[in-house]
Amino acid sequence: MYPQLRSEIGQGAAAAGGVHAAHVLDGEVGHGYGFFNGVEFEVRFGGAGLVDRRPSIDPPAFPGLVYRADGLVHTTPTRAEPVFSGYDYTLVDRVFPQTPLYTRQFGHRIAPRIHELLGRTVTAGMPVDIGRGCVKFAADDACSFCSIHPGQLWRNQLTPAQAWAAIEAAWNAGYDYHYLTADELPLTFAQLLTGMAAETPAWWSALSEDERPLLVGYGRADGIADPRKTALLTSLGVRQIMIGMDAGAATSLAAMNKPVGGRRRNVLAEAEKLYELNSQAITVARDHGMLIRAGFVVGHIGMTRALLTENLERILALITEGGKHGVFSAIDAEVLSPQPGARDYTYLTTPDAARQAAAKLGLTVADEATLAVVSARWAHQDVVMREDAMRDYTLALMPEITFDDLAQARATIRSHAKACGVVIGE
């Protein structure tokens, strides 16, 4: 299939794409011709310089293809395909010597921190693809800032034996720090992880704990707060987990659509419980020798000055706790960035959706005139300038506060983390 696409598009074709870009095509940015799901596919953006060659292909023959015909956007139905795992690591430096650049940065930032906190020596990192998906995708209920659209396949994974083979291949290629690519591990891939624990291969068992590759992944706090799930992860060599704790106030977690479950009866109660689980996850991670890299997002639809203050207080408390126990390996803190495909971008471009979302939580957005001006500015943008979008999101959807207020809160979070001995990013 791939060679056929390449031959029909042409070797010199400009490429852009993926699932995210396919959603962008669907009316939000919308000047492209088509994207092939999983393979970059040529598209013409109005005035942006990519050429529209419109190859002569039969769209229904390519599952996942999003294309325009008769002035409408069409999607060829997807079909289940196995997660690709046949990576050839010799290709990494085939065209350009990338390894020296990556390993130098890795040795400067990540390796010393891992040795400091875990006493482990790691030398080179590599993503390892064992599964894709998130428990939030099952009900099409992604967090407000998430721009991933899984389509009809919200979770896809290797078999336990294939997952171990993928880890072994990366290990044999010289990589001892593996980024497991699943969007969320403990809640979404419990069956895969349990199967891997039951089918531990001989090569892994023959290595001491310190000799094995160190695995890192993504997880939700409500997964890590469960000691059984965390014990399962650490038994498989996962010693660092990245958690989007994101906010402190219950209203803010609800505004970001963080709680799990599309049929929640009391979203604020669930959000408050999630904050408590953020704290509990720190304790459970400490007890199991797992590190957490925590992410925090500053701002959301309808945020008020009082909510900003409450978030700051609760976020700082989490960082104090994580730093005191030596659990936080690093934190990331950033002002909310509305990305095409995410609910937050829909709020930016669709005033009615913004008003309805804010009203559900008793919050407000800017006046009608401001919403109209901002939505018109972003409704048909081909290129989204990140900080410009952040500023307009604040103007339209957080009328009580300014972008500078959010930037100052971000600076306060980062400064507090440093004071607690926690690094910013890795």
Side-chain angles (χ1 to χ4, degrees):
M1 183 182 297
Y2 294 176
Q4 180 183 351
L5 273 174
R6 292 195 182 97
S7 66
E8 291 178 352
I9 292 173
Q11 293 297 317
V19 177
H20 169 74
H23 183 83
V24 171
L25 178 66
D26 188 11
E28 288 193 349
V29 172
H31 294 297
Y33 167 67
F35 294 89
F36 180 75
N37 190 0
V39 176
E40 288 82 8
F41 190 74
E42 189 176 24
V43 63
R44 177 177 60 83
F45 286 99
L50 296 182
V51 179
D52 178 6
R53 296 164 63 99
R54 297 191 180 231
S56 56
I57 63 173
D58 178 25
F62 297 97
L65 184 69
V66 180
Y67 60 97
R68 288 189 183 277
D70 303 321
L72 300 174
V73 174
H74 303 268
T75 304
T76 304
T78 58
R79 69 174 179 226
E81 294 180 351
V83 174
F84 180 77
S85 60
Y87 293 101
D88 179 357
Y89 293 104
T90 66
L91 297 176
V92 172
D93 298 316
R94 181 70 59 85
V95 177
F96 180 80
Q98 301 182 79
T99 297
L101 299 176
Y102 282 100
T103 53
R104 182 164 62 245
Q105 179 71 1
F106 185 92
H108 176 67
R109 293 183 61 83
I110 295 177
R113 186 65 172 164
I114 294 298
H115 189 269
E116 174 190 354
L117 295 176
L118 294 178
R120 295 282 302 273
T121 298
V122 290
T123 59
M126 175 61 67
V128 177
D129 202 358
I130 66 170
R132 302 172 188 174
C134 174
V135 65
K136 293 280 283 177
F137 298 160
D140 192 20
D141 195 36
C143 300
S144 71
F145 45 77
C146 177
S147 59
I148 299 173
H149 286 253
Q152 299 171 14
L153 192 63
W154 70 271
R155 177 179 59 193
N156 199 6
Q157 61 195 43
L158 298 176
T159 66
Q162 290 170 336
W164 279 120
I167 292 170
E168 183 180 16
W171 169 245
N172 288 336
Y175 301 102
D176 53 13
Y177 184 88
H178 298 179
Y179 305 88
L180 302 182
T181 57
D183 299 286
E184 199 283 333
L185 278 171
L187 298 178
T188 311
F189 294 96
Q191 183 177 9
L192 170 61
L193 298 172
T194 301
M196 291 176 66
E199 300 180 23
T200 306
W203 72 269
W204 178 272
S205 299
L207 299 172
S208 70
E209 184 175 337
D210 287 345
E211 291 175 323
R212 294 169 179 167
L214 190 148
L215 310 185
V216 302
Y218 294 86
R220 284 179 57 90
D222 33 3
I224 301 303
D226 183 336
R228 295 169 301 175
K229 289 182 170 60
T230 297
L232 175 60
L233 287 169
T234 54
S235 74
L236 296 172
V238 178
R239 297 295 304 279
Q240 184 182 39
I241 203 81
M242 304 174 193
I243 300 178
M245 295 184 172
D246 297 321
T251 300
S252 298
L253 288 166
M256 295 176 183
N257 201 41
K258 288 294 295 183
V260 173
R263 296 180 180 178
R264 295 184 296 271
R265 293 180 179 175
N266 189 332
V267 66
L268 291 178
E270 290 296 318
E272 181 62 32
K273 179 64 176 177
L274 183 56
Y275 175 77
E276 296 169 3
L277 289 171
N278 281 333
S279 179
Q280 188 174 331
I282 295 172
T283 301
V284 173
R286 177 201 64 193
D287 293 345
H288 288 80
M290 178 180 281
L291 301 178
I292 292 175
R293 175 171 174 168
F296 299 99
V297 176
V298 183
H300 58 75
I301 187 167
M303 175 173 265
T304 62
R305 191 167 298 279
L307 280 173
L308 178 59
T309 300
E310 183 181 359
N311 273 284
L312 199 54
E313 291 173 351
R314 286 187 157 202
I315 288 172
L316 297 185
L318 288 172
I319 293 173
T320 298
E321 186 178 0
K324 177 178 65 177
H325 294 305
V327 173
F328 279 6
S329 60
I331 68 106
D332 296 298
E334 191 50 85
V335 175
L336 187 143
S337 177
Q339 298 296 319
R343 292 189 186 191
D344 283 310
Y345 197 82
T346 299
Y347 301 155
L348 188 70
T349 58
T350 313
D352 286 344
R355 282 189 287 264
Q356 291 170 14
K360 286 181 180 179
L361 294 169
L363 303 173
T364 60
V365 292
D367 59 84
E368 186 173 342
T370 302
L371 291 175
V373 169
V374 170
S375 64
R377 184 179 301 145
W378 292 101
H380 302 292
Q381 285 293 320
D382 290 340
V383 178
V384 176
M385 303 303 292
R386 191 161 172 262
E387 185 164 321
D388 290 345
M390 289 176 176
R391 289 181 178 277
D392 272 0
Y393 187 97
T394 307
L395 175 67
L397 305 178
M398 293 179 262
E400 274 196 28
I401 54 183
T402 67
F403 179 80
D404 289 342
D405 293 330
L406 300 178
Q408 181 56 54
R410 175 183 59 190
T412 299
I413 293 169
R414 292 175 176 177
S415 177
H416 183 73
K418 291 178 181 178
C420 291
V422 179
V423 302
I424 311 304
E426 277 181 340

